[in-house]
Amino acid sequence: MATDVPLLAAPATFGALATLYGRHETYTRRWRTQAWTGLGLLLAVLAGATSAVLPLAGWADVLVPALVVAVVAAVAKFVTDAVRTGPPAGLIPVFAAGTLSAEPLRASDLPAVAAVTVACAAFGVALSCAAGLHRPDGPERRAVARAVGAVLATGRGTGLGEAAARHRATVAVHAAWDVLGPRAAGPLGGWLAHAERVLHTGAPDRPLRLLLAALPGRRPVPAPPAGPVPAPHPWPRRRVLAALRGTGHLRVPALRVGLACAGVVLLAAALGLGHVYWAAVGAAAVLQSPSAGVTVQRGVQRGVGTVVGVLLAAGLVTLATDDVRLWLLTVLCMFAVEFCMPRNYALGTVAITGLSLLLTRLGTSGTGLGGLVLDRLADTALGVAAAVVVAVVVRNRSAVRALDGALADLGSAHDPATLRARLVAVAEARARLADDDWRLPAPRSALESERDGYRRLGDLLGADRADRGTPGAPRP
C-alpha cells in the first residue's frame, strides 16, 4: 500500500502465512519448520507468478497454470504429510500458486514478488519465535498441560463418552511426547509419564491437578512423582526421504490432489468461469483429509461455509471503500481464519472465503462484486465435487500394505516407548482406510489389535509401577 503496488499484497500475505505451521513445536524446532515452510511458499509463489508472466495464448494459457498448480498441490501434500505439519498442511502453497498465476504480473515484477515474500516470511518467523525470549519452555508446558487436562477429563463420562474422552487423552499424550522429544528426560517428561500411568493404570490423579497450577507462566515445575523417567525421544529426521523410500501410502494422496486440481482447473476454464484457481483450492482443501469419508464430510462443510462466507464477504467488500479499510478487513479475516479453523472447519471456511474475496479485491481493485460471488460459488462447488470423486475412485492400495506392516511391528514391541510409537503408527494407517472397511478386512481387525496394544501398554506401565513398589492395579 505504501508503495502503491497492490499486486504485492498477495505475496506479502502468503509469506506471512508461514507462521501457521509449527505452532505447537518447541521454539528450536518452530523456527526451522517455519523457515522451511517460508522457502516452500516462496517456491509456490514464484511458480504461480512465473506461469502468469509467460507469453501464452489459447489453451496454453490455461494448461500451463493448471499444470503448475497441480504439481505444487501434489508436492505440498506429500511433503506436509511426510513431515506431519498438521493443518493447514498443503493448502496454503496451492492457494499461493493459484492466486499468483491469476495476477496481471510482468517479468520485471518477479524480483519484487520474491523479495516481499521472503521479507514477510522472515518477519513472521521472528515474531512467532520472539516469545521464546520470555518463556523458552512455553510450548512444552502447554503440550503437557493439554495432555494432563485431557487425562483428567476421562473420568467424567460413561460408555461411548468415556471411550471418546480416553481417545482424546491418548492423542494429547502422544502429541506431548512428540513436542518434548529429547527434553522428555526432564521433569515435564516425568509428569507426562505419570499422566500416562493415570490414563492406563489408574494411578492417583491428585498430583496432576496440583501440577496444572504450576504450568502457566514461568513458575518452577515441581519434581514428578516417583516412577520411571522415560528415555529421551529423539526427534525424527529426514522424514521426506523415508516417505519416498516407503510403501507409497503417502504418494497416493498426493496423486489424488494433483489429479483433482489439474482436472478441475481445466473444467472450470472450459465452463468459462473466472478465478479458476479457486476450484483448485477447494479441491486441495477437501483432499487434505486422510480418507474418503472425511473428504465427503469436509466437502459438505466447505460448501455450506462458502455459501455463508460469500454472503458475509459481499457485505465486507462493499465496506472496503478505500485501501485502509480494505487492509483492516483483510487483517480481521486473517484473525478469524486462524481463530476458527482449528475449532470448526465450516466456520473457518466462512472466514477464509471472506479473506479470498478481499485478497482478490486488494490485488485487482475494480473486479465486479457480482462476478466474484458467482465465481467463488461455482468454483468451490466444482472443486468439492472433483475432490469427492477422486477420493472415491483413486484407491490407496499401498495403505493396506502400510497397515499390515504397522500391525506386524506392533506385536514385537516390548517396552512402553516402542509400543506407544507403534500404536500411533497403527492408528494413522487405520485412519487412511477407515472408509474401506466394507471391502477390506484389515481395518476391522486393526481396531481390535489397537485395543489389545493399549491393554498391553497399560500392563507394561503397571508392571513398572509394581517394580518400584507403587500401589495400584492396572485398569482393565
Side-chain angles (χ1 to χ4, degrees):
M1 289 174 59
T3 57
D4 196 25
V5 187
L7 290 177
L8 295 179
T13 300
F14 292 121
L17 289 180
T19 59
L20 292 180
Y21 295 83
R23 70 186 77 189
H24 297 310
E25 295 180 353
T26 63
Y27 290 113
T28 302
R29 296 178 73 191
R30 182 185 299 184
W31 78 264
R32 293 176 181 170
T33 297
Q34 293 180 351
W36 281 108
T37 303
L39 176 61
L41 290 174
L42 171 64
L43 295 177
V45 164
L46 287 178
T50 301
S51 69
V53 303
L54 292 176
L56 304 174
W59 271 100
D61 195 28
V62 178
L63 287 173
V64 172
L67 181 61
V68 168
V69 171
V71 171
V72 169
V75 172
K77 172 64 175 173
F78 181 83
V79 172
T80 53
D81 280 355
V83 181
R84 301 176 184 175
T85 62
L91 176 60
I92 304 301
V94 182
F95 198 179
T99 300
L100 270 296
S101 69
E103 296 281 13
L105 296 169
R106 301 184 303 270
S108 58
D109 295 327
L110 293 181
V113 168
V116 167
T117 304
V118 171
C120 289
F123 175 71
V125 172
L127 191 64
S128 177
C129 298
L133 300 175
H134 171 66
R135 193 168 58 156
D137 61 346
E140 295 96 314
R141 286 174 177 252
R142 287 191 294 272
V144 173
R146 284 191 296 269
V148 169
V151 169
L152 293 177
T154 55
R156 300 174 186 172
T158 57
L160 293 177
E162 184 181 8
R166 289 181 64 80
H167 175 72
R168 288 192 295 269
T170 302
V171 171
V173 170
H174 289 329
W177 282 124
D178 186 57
V179 170
L180 291 182
R183 302 180 183 180
L188 288 175
W191 279 109
L192 191 56
H194 182 71
E196 196 168 39
R197 288 193 292 269
V198 171
L199 178 63
H200 294 295
T201 72
D205 62 1
R206 178 174 173 77
L208 295 182
R209 301 182 186 278
L210 299 177
L211 172 69
L212 284 179
L215 287 177
R218 294 191 293 177
R219 298 179 224 176
V221 177
V229 177
H233 292 238
W235 284 320
R237 300 178 183 272
R238 300 180 179 88
R239 282 176 167 173
V240 176
L241 293 178
L244 286 171
R245 295 192 298 263
T247 59
H249 60 280
L250 296 183
R251 291 195 286 269
V252 175
L255 176 64
R256 286 173 177 167
V257 175
L259 289 175
C261 289
V264 78
V265 167
L266 295 177
L267 180 59
L271 294 175
L273 298 176
H275 305 89
V276 295
Y277 68 90
W278 279 341
V281 172
V286 174
L287 284 171
Q288 299 303 312
S289 52
S291 63
V294 181
T295 297
V296 175
Q297 184 182 36
R298 286 171 69 97
V300 173
Q301 290 179 329
R302 189 167 187 88
V304 174
T306 298
V307 172
V308 177
V310 160
L311 297 176
L312 176 64
L316 293 178
V317 172
T318 57
L319 294 176
T321 54
D322 55 55
D323 287 344
V324 174
R325 291 187 180 185
L326 189 57
W327 174 74
L328 288 173
L329 291 172
T330 302
V331 173
L332 287 176
C333 282
M334 289 179 184
F335 175 82
V337 170
E338 174 70 4
F339 183 80
C340 295
M341 191 63 78
R343 293 164 174 81
N344 184 278
Y345 185 74
L347 288 178
T349 302
V350 172
I352 207 168
T353 299
L355 175 62
S356 299
L357 268 64
L358 287 172
L359 282 178
T360 303
R361 193 60 174 261
L362 189 59
T364 56
S365 56
T367 303
L369 177 59
L372 286 177
V373 169
L374 291 177
D375 287 345
R376 183 69 182 187
L377 290 174
D379 287 328
T380 299
L382 280 179
V384 169
V388 172
V389 170
V390 170
V392 173
V393 172
V394 182
R395 291 179 57 189
N396 193 353
R397 298 181 186 275
S398 300
V400 179
R401 295 192 294 272
L403 179 59
D404 290 339
L407 290 173
D409 293 339
L410 186 63
S412 61
H414 301 294
D415 64 275
T418 303
L419 181 56
R420 184 189 306 111
R422 293 180 179 177
L423 282 168
V424 173
V426 169
E428 291 177 348
R430 185 172 55 80
R432 299 187 190 97
L433 295 168
D435 309 298
D436 281 340
D437 55 356
W438 60 277
R439 54 188 173 188
L440 292 171
R444 292 193 294 270
S445 61
L447 183 59
E448 185 57 37
S449 298
E450 192 177 347
R451 291 170 179 164
D452 289 340
Y454 279 113
R455 284 192 284 267
R456 286 175 52 209
L457 179 60
D459 292 340
L460 290 173
L461 294 171
D464 284 340
R465 294 179 63 217
D467 290 342
R468 300 185 64 89
T470 309
R475 181 183 296 179

